[in-house]
Amino acid sequence: MEQSPSSVKPLDIQDVLIGVFLVTVTALVILAEWTGGAVWQGFAAIGFMLFVVAATPKAGWSGIAFAVAGFALFIWALITRSDWLAITEHALSSAAFIAAFFTALTWLRNASASSTAINVCGRFLAEQPPGRRYATLTVGSHLFSIILNYGSIALLGNLAEASARREPNEEIRGHRIRRMLLAIQRGFVSTLPWSPLTFSVAISTSLVPGASWADAVGYCVVSALILAGLGWALDAIFKPRLSVPSSPRPKPNGTWDSLLPLLALLAILVLSVGALQLATGIRAVGVVMVVVPIISASWIALQNFGDRPIARTLSQATQYLVRDLPGYRSELLLLTMAGFIGTLGAKLVAPLFAASGYDLTVIPGWLILVALVWLIPITGQIGMNPILSVSLIAPLLPKATEIGVTPAAITTALTAGWAVSGASSPFAATNLLVGNIARVRASHVGIVWNGAYTVLSALVLSAWVAFIASL
C-alpha cells in the first residue's frame, strides 16, 4: 500500500545536506583514486569537513566525543607542528576515504534490503537441521557478509533467533540461539582478512607502503579459512550435553537453489573488481567504489524489471540519499573520526617515538607480525576501534624491507588482528549486534562465548603470519 502524502515524514534539510556531502565526497575520492590528482583529495577533505559540521549536532554521544577528540588533536598539531596543514590535510583525506567507502558499500546493503531473493536465501539457511546448521550458517554468513557487511548479522541473526524461538524447551532453545549466532558472527569475522569490501582490507592496504589486495589475498584467504574452520571445530568438539532429547525440526522451506542469486551476485562482484583492477592498475578499493554502486543500481533495476525499473531505481536512490544514508550519521562520524584521529595521531607521535630511541628494525620481522595479531584485539578490549588502532599503529611500523618481510605479510597480520578484535572486543559492532539479538551483554558474547575461540584463533594466526614472514 502506498503511503498518503500526510503519512510521509517531511524531509529534514540537515539530512539532505549530509547525504549530498557524502555522495559528493564519494565522487571526489573516486576521482582522486582514478586520476591521482591531489586537487580532488583536497576537495574531498573540504567535503568531509562539511559533513562533520552537518552531522555532529545530531550524532550520538560516541560520535560527538570522537569529533571533539579529533578537534583537540588538530589544535595540538596547530600549536606544536610547523607542517600542521599538510598532516591535517592527510588525515582529512584518510577520513574522506572512509566516508566514501562506507557510502558506496551501504548503497549495496540498501539494494539488498528490497530483494526477495536475499530474504528467501537467509530464511533457508537459518532453518537448516542441526547436523549441518553450524557449517551452513558460517558459510552463508560469510557470503552474505561480503555484500551486506554488518547487515548480514542483523538479517541472518534475526531469522535464526526467530527460528530457534519456536523450540519449546528452554535449555535447547538457549544452546541453539548461542550456536547459531556464533556461526553467523564467525562467518562474518572470517571475511575481514580478505574481502576487498571490508574496512579492514581497504584501510590496511592503504596504510602499508607497497601493499595491494592482489598481492595479499592468497595469504588472507588462508586466514579466513583458519577463522571459519576453528569456529566449526570448536562447535563440533564442544557440543552441549542436553538433559532432554531435542525435538524433531521441520524441513526448511526452499531448496539449495535459493542460494544461486547470491552466488551469482558475488561472482559478478568479485570478477568485476578483479578484472577491472588488472585492466586499469587502480587500487582494489578504488575499483570497489565504482563497481559497487553500478551493481547496486543494476540490482534494483532488475528487481523492478517489469515495473518502471529506471524510475524505481532513481526513486530508491533518492530515498537512500536523503533518508537512509543520513540515518548512519552517528556510526559514520565515529568511523571517520577514528580514522582521522589515528592518522593525525600517528603523525604527531612519530617524532616522539623516533626521539625515544626505540628502533623496531632490530626486532625480527616475524615477531612484529605476531605482535600485530595480538595488539589490535588487546586495544579493542579498552574501547579502541580497529580503524583507530590500525591507523595509529601501521604508520609507526618500519618499511617491510627493513624488517625482512613483504607488504603482503604486514597486511595479512593487520587484517588477522582486526578479525580477532571483531570476535572479542566488547565494543565491536559484531558483539553488540549478537548481544542485542541474544539478549545478553556484548562483553558476555566477546569474552565468555568467544573467549576460547579468540585465544585459539590468535595463536593459530600468529603461527600463520610467522610462517609467512619466513618465506
Side-chain angles (χ1 to χ4, degrees):
M1 180 186 300
E2 294 187 1
Q3 291 180 310
S4 63
S6 61
S7 65
V8 177
K9 183 181 178 181
L11 290 178
D12 185 316
I13 186 62
Q14 194 171 350
D15 285 350
V16 173
L17 288 174
I18 289 172
V20 170
F21 291 150
L22 287 173
V23 171
T24 302
V25 167
T26 303
L28 292 169
V29 170
I30 290 172
L31 285 171
E33 288 285 334
W34 282 71
T35 66
V39 64
W40 301 119
Q41 289 184 336
F43 285 135
I46 294 172
F48 170 71
M49 286 190 291
L50 293 173
F51 158 72
V52 172
V53 171
T56 301
K58 297 178 67 174
W61 68 267
S62 56
I64 294 173
F66 268 61
V68 172
F71 183 73
L73 207 61
F74 162 71
I75 297 299
W76 180 17
L78 181 64
I79 295 173
T80 61
R81 295 287 292 265
S82 59
D83 60 346
W84 65 270
L85 182 59
I87 63 175
T88 301
E89 184 178 356
H90 177 66
L92 288 171
S93 296
S94 298
F97 166 77
I98 295 171
F101 198 71
F102 182 95
T103 300
L105 295 188
T106 310
W107 176 222
L108 184 61
R109 190 191 310 179
N110 178 273
S112 70
S114 57
S115 172
T116 303
I118 288 293
N119 284 281
V120 170
C121 179
R123 188 168 290 106
F124 175 72
L125 293 172
E127 294 177 351
Q128 289 301 302
R132 58 173 180 259
R133 182 192 299 126
Y134 188 96
T136 302
L137 280 175
T138 299
V139 174
S141 175
H142 187 96
L143 298 177
F144 268 82
S145 298
I146 297 173
I147 296 175
L148 306 183
N149 207 272
Y150 292 106
S152 64
I153 297 178
L155 173 64
L156 290 178
N158 283 309
L159 289 172
E161 193 264 352
S163 173
R165 291 290 174 192
R166 293 198 290 268
E167 168 60 50
N169 184 276
E170 183 177 356
E171 177 190 4
I172 297 174
R173 185 169 63 248
H175 287 305
R176 186 168 292 166
I177 289 174
R178 178 182 61 82
R179 294 173 69 191
M180 292 172 78
L181 290 177
L182 286 180
I184 293 166
Q185 181 190 22
R186 292 167 185 175
F188 167 82
V189 164
S190 64
T191 66
L192 297 179
W194 80 271
S195 172
L197 276 69
T198 59
F199 278 112
S200 51
V201 171
I203 292 175
S204 296
T205 53
S206 67
L207 291 175
V208 178
S212 72
W213 176 71
D215 291 339
V217 66
Y219 297 141
C220 293
V221 165
V222 176
S223 298
L225 292 173
I226 289 171
L227 289 163
L230 284 176
W232 172 82
L234 287 174
D235 181 79
I237 294 171
F238 298 103
K239 287 184 178 179
R241 296 182 179 181
L242 302 176
S243 59
V244 294
S246 60
S247 56
R249 290 176 56 80
K251 293 181 63 176
N253 294 317
T255 66
W256 292 103
D257 290 345
S258 61
L259 273 66
L260 292 178
L262 176 63
L263 295 174
L265 181 63
L266 289 172
I268 293 170
L269 205 139
V270 173
L271 291 175
S272 298
V273 171
L276 199 53
Q277 185 190 15
L278 290 175
T280 63
I282 305 296
R283 292 194 308 161
V285 290
V287 174
V288 164
M289 285 189 284
V290 171
V291 169
V292 165
I294 293 173
I295 290 179
S296 302
S298 303
W299 189 7
I300 294 170
L302 188 62
Q303 294 173 34
N304 299 281
F305 187 72
D307 185 14
R308 300 178 297 141
I310 296 177
R312 288 190 174 274
T313 301
L314 290 174
S315 175
Q316 189 163 332
T318 302
Q319 289 296 308
Y320 172 70
L321 173 68
V322 301
R323 296 190 188 279
D324 299 335
L325 184 56
Y328 293 106
R329 68 175 72 83
S330 296
E331 179 181 1
L332 187 51
L333 186 63
L334 191 152
L335 293 176
T336 54
M337 291 310 300
F340 175 84
I341 293 168
T343 305
L344 185 56
K347 292 289 185 182
L348 294 172
V349 170
L352 303 177
F353 187 79
S356 68
Y358 289 107
D359 185 6
L360 293 180
T361 59
V362 302
I363 301 175
W366 68 267
L367 187 57
I368 291 178
L369 299 187
V370 170
L372 293 175
V373 174
W374 290 88
L375 186 57
I376 298 170
I378 288 172
T379 57
Q381 296 298 316
I382 58 174
M384 286 184 67
N385 184 298
I387 292 179
L388 173 57
S389 56
V390 171
S391 298
L392 185 61
I393 294 168
L396 300 177
L397 297 175
K399 292 182 180 179
T401 54
E402 294 177 350
I403 55 174
V405 299
T406 63
I410 296 177
T411 301
T412 304
L414 289 172
T415 56
W418 196 310
V420 176
S421 181
S424 60
S425 171
F427 305 95
T430 55
N431 289 317
L432 291 170
L433 285 168
V434 170
N436 182 58
I437 296 170
R439 301 168 194 175
V440 298
R441 295 174 63 88
S443 57
H444 186 82
V445 177
I447 297 173
V448 179
W449 286 4
N450 277 324
Y453 173 75
T454 296
V455 174
L456 188 59
S457 295
L459 288 171
V460 178
L461 288 170
S462 295
W464 170 233
V465 298
F467 173 75
I468 295 172
S470 69
L471 296 178

